[in-house]
């Protein structure tokens, strides 16, 4: 009897944890299908009515796509996220290769200094980043949104751990065949670290897609707004927010991330486990 109670208790705890994470998302989706006057009607006390629309309507989605520029914001976000993923993978992979496969004095110090940038909060870097990006003439451009974040300390750490696990024999065999650093990097190293590369790409895409503060600062033009900024700025500053459109926008913005995660979750969990265990 005791042996049966332990799995049951564990299942209940896991269901409770799942509910804590899933309930806010379910509430957002539910409210996106409720009329404006009924959105906050069933908030207290919490019941099944809070998470299920009694008479679902599509009015919020219709007005969202008619009144706002959300399709343009989605396209801008997709361009920025894809570009940031590509540039981050290239830069971090090259840096990780240099720090693990090329022996030079000060390599460990360089790696430690890069990791220390983890400690810098984004808010502390906003002003210098804005001055640098504006000085480069990238203010109000999609390149200006993505360029400060392509040098990822987490990406370098993840790929460096993966590169160090590769046997040196692969590199030595390629070198005997006359391969240089470029050929070894492209033909030997990268094909053997596909899982960490996919993991880094997924994490970078999630970070870029959900970014709000930096796009709000550097991209003031409505034509290059990203999705999170567009959702936050929908409506008029002199009027109360249209919560139905806000919840509908949040639902639309979340769907691509859910689909991407479901497609690549295997690589994501493998990569996270690898970075944690081998650190």
């Amino acid at each position: 009897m005791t042996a049966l109670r332990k799995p049951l208790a564990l299942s209940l705890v896991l269901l409770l944890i799942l509910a804590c994470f899933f309930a806010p998302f379910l509430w957002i989706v539910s409210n996106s299908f409720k009329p404006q006057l009924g959105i906050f009607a069933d908030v207290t006390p919490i019941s099944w009515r809070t998470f299920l629309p009694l008479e679902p309507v599509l009015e919020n989605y219709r007005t969202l796509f008619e009144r706002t520029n959300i399709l343009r914001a989605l396209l801008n976000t997709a361009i920025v996220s894809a570009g940031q993923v590509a540039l981050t993978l290239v830069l971090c992979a090259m840096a990780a290769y240099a720090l693990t496969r090329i022996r030079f004095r000060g390599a460990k110090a360089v790696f430690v200094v890069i990791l220390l940038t983890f400690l810098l909060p984004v808010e502390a870097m906003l002003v210098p980043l804005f001055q640098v990006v504006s000085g480069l003439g990238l203010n109000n451009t999609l390149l200006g949104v993505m360029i400060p974040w392509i040098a990822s300390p987490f990406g370098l750490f993840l790929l460096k751990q993966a590169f160090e696990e590769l046997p040196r024999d692969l590199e030595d065999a390629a070198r005997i065949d006359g391969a240089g650093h470029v050929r070894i990097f492209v033909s030997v190293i990268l094909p053997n670290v596909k899982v960490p590369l996919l993991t880094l790409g997924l994490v970078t895409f999630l970070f870029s897609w959900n970014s709000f503060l930096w796009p709000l600062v550097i991209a003031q033009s409505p034509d290059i707004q990203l999705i999170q900024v567009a959702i936050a700025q929908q409506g008029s500053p002199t009027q109360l927010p249209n919560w139905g459109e806000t919840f509908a926008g949040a639902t639309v913005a979340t769907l691509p991330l859910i689909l991407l995660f479901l497609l690549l979750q295997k690589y994501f969990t493998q990569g996270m486990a690898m970075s944690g265990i081998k650190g």
Side-chain angles (χ1 to χ4, degrees), residues 207-225:
F207 169 80
S208 178
W209 191 277
N210 290 322
S211 293
F212 174 76
L213 187 56
W214 175 247
L216 177 66
V217 171
I218 199 65
Q220 298 90 1
S221 172
D223 292 334
I224 62 167
Q225 272 187 342

Side-chain angles (χ1 to χ4, degrees), residues 26 36 40 45 61 63 75 87-88 99-100 112 130 135 146 157 161 174 229 249 251 264 278:
L26 182 59
Q36 180 72 11
F40 296 110
Y61 288 92
T63 56
L75 178 61
L87 293 174
T88 299
L99 290 173
T100 55
V112 170
F130 182 81
M146 75 176 75
F157 173 77
Q161 298 293 101
V229 179
T251 303
L264 301 176
K278 296 173 182 176

Side-chain angles (χ1 to χ4, degrees), residues 102-110:
I102 301 176
R103 295 180 180 177
F104 61 94
R105 184 177 297 179
K108 291 184 179 179
V110 171

Side-chain angles (χ1 to χ4, degrees), residues 101-121:
R101 299 297 177 175
I102 301 176
R103 295 180 180 177
F104 61 94
R105 184 177 297 179
K108 291 184 179 179
V110 171
F111 180 61
V112 170
V113 170
I114 293 175
L115 285 186
L116 286 177
T117 59
F118 265 130
L119 303 177
L120 296 175

Side-chain angles (χ1 to χ4, degrees), residues 112-162:
V112 170
V113 170
I114 293 175
L115 285 186
L116 286 177
T117 59
F118 265 130
L119 303 177
L120 296 175
V122 174
E123 293 80 2
M125 298 187 292
L126 278 182
V127 173
L129 280 179
F130 182 81
Q131 292 176 336
V132 172
V133 173
S134 297
L136 293 173
L138 298 178
N139 194 9
N140 267 328
T141 64
L142 296 181
L143 187 60
V145 177
M146 75 176 75
I147 203 72
W149 312 107
I150 61 175
S152 167
F154 168 77
L156 175 61
F157 173 77
L158 180 66
L159 295 184
K160 185 174 181 295
Q161 298 293 101

Side-chain angles (χ1 to χ4, degrees), residues 57-262:
V57 297
L58 295 177
E59 183 68 16
N60 297 321
Y61 288 92
R62 186 183 66 79
T63 56
L64 175 70
F65 285 99
E66 287 182 355
R67 290 196 327 106
T68 67
N69 205 11
I70 191 169
L71 290 179
R72 181 60 180 269
L74 283 171
L75 178 61
N76 291 338
T77 309
I79 294 173
V80 169
S81 299
Q84 189 169 331
V85 168
L87 293 174
T88 299
L89 289 179
V90 171
L91 186 63
C92 290
M94 292 174 66
Y97 177 81
L99 290 173
T100 55
R101 299 297 177 175
I102 301 176
R103 295 180 180 177
F104 61 94
R105 184 177 297 179
K108 291 184 179 179
V110 171
F111 180 61
V112 170
V113 170
I114 293 175
L115 285 186
L116 286 177
T117 59
F118 265 130
L119 303 177
L120 296 175
V122 174
E123 293 80 2
M125 298 187 292
L126 278 182
V127 173
L129 280 179
F130 182 81
Q131 292 176 336
V132 172
V133 173
S134 297
L136 293 173
L138 298 178
N139 194 9
N140 267 328
T141 64
L142 296 181
L143 187 60
V145 177
M146 75 176 75
I147 203 72
W149 312 107
I150 61 175
S152 167
F154 168 77
L156 175 61
F157 173 77
L158 180 66
L159 295 184
K160 185 174 181 295
Q161 298 293 101
F163 286 7
E164 287 179 344
E165 292 300 318
L166 295 178
R168 291 276 180 179
D169 295 343
L170 293 175
E171 184 179 345
D172 294 338
R175 202 175 297 281
I176 291 173
D177 291 338
H181 282 300
V182 175
R183 185 179 167 190
I184 292 173
F185 175 68
V186 175
S187 303
V188 178
I189 301 296
L190 292 184
N192 288 285
V193 291
K194 291 180 180 177
V195 171
L197 287 173
L198 285 171
T199 303
L200 176 58
L202 180 57
V203 171
T204 304
F205 191 90
L206 294 176
F207 169 80
S208 178
W209 191 277
N210 290 322
S211 293
F212 174 76
L213 187 56
W214 175 247
L216 177 66
V217 171
I218 199 65
Q220 298 90 1
S221 172
D223 292 334
I224 62 167
Q225 272 187 342
L226 269 60
I227 184 64
Q228 307 299 343
V229 179
I231 293 173
Q233 294 184 344
Q234 63 88 19
S236 170
T238 60
Q239 297 177 346
L240 291 175
N242 186 321
W243 291 110
E245 289 185 13
T246 301
F247 288 126
T251 303
V252 171
T254 307
L255 289 179
L257 300 182
I258 294 177
L259 293 176
L260 186 65
F261 181 78
L262 291 177

